[in-house]
Amino acid sequence: MTIRAEHEIHQRRKGRNIGVGLMLAAFVVLILALTFVKITGGDFEMPRIEEGQ
């Protein structure tokens, strides 16, 4: 099996995949941060279960 040089299109695709991965990671961090702020903000209450139903 011979080792072939990586084609130019693979290099471009790799760069695009890294960019998409970074954007996805940033989105996940943003959602986690917003969730954390909402829960620790003090106005978050667990839904109350009404008895007798």
Side-chain angles (χ1 to χ4, degrees):
M1 189 164 162
T2 62
I3 298 175
R4 298 186 315 173
E6 191 175 59
H7 196 271
E8 183 262 338
I9 195 167
H10 293 128
Q11 293 172 350
R12 284 192 291 162
R13 219 180 262 165
K14 185 177 184 180
R16 189 178 311 138
N17 288 343
I18 290 172
V20 169
L22 289 174
M23 292 301 293
L24 180 61
F27 179 71
V28 168
V29 168
L30 176 66
I31 296 300
L32 286 174
L34 289 173
T35 302
F36 181 75
V37 167
K38 182 172 178 66
I39 289 175
T40 59
D43 61 343
F44 179 79
E45 293 182 16
M46 293 295 290
R48 297 175 192 239
I49 300 173
E50 295 181 19
E51 294 182 19
Q53 288 186 357

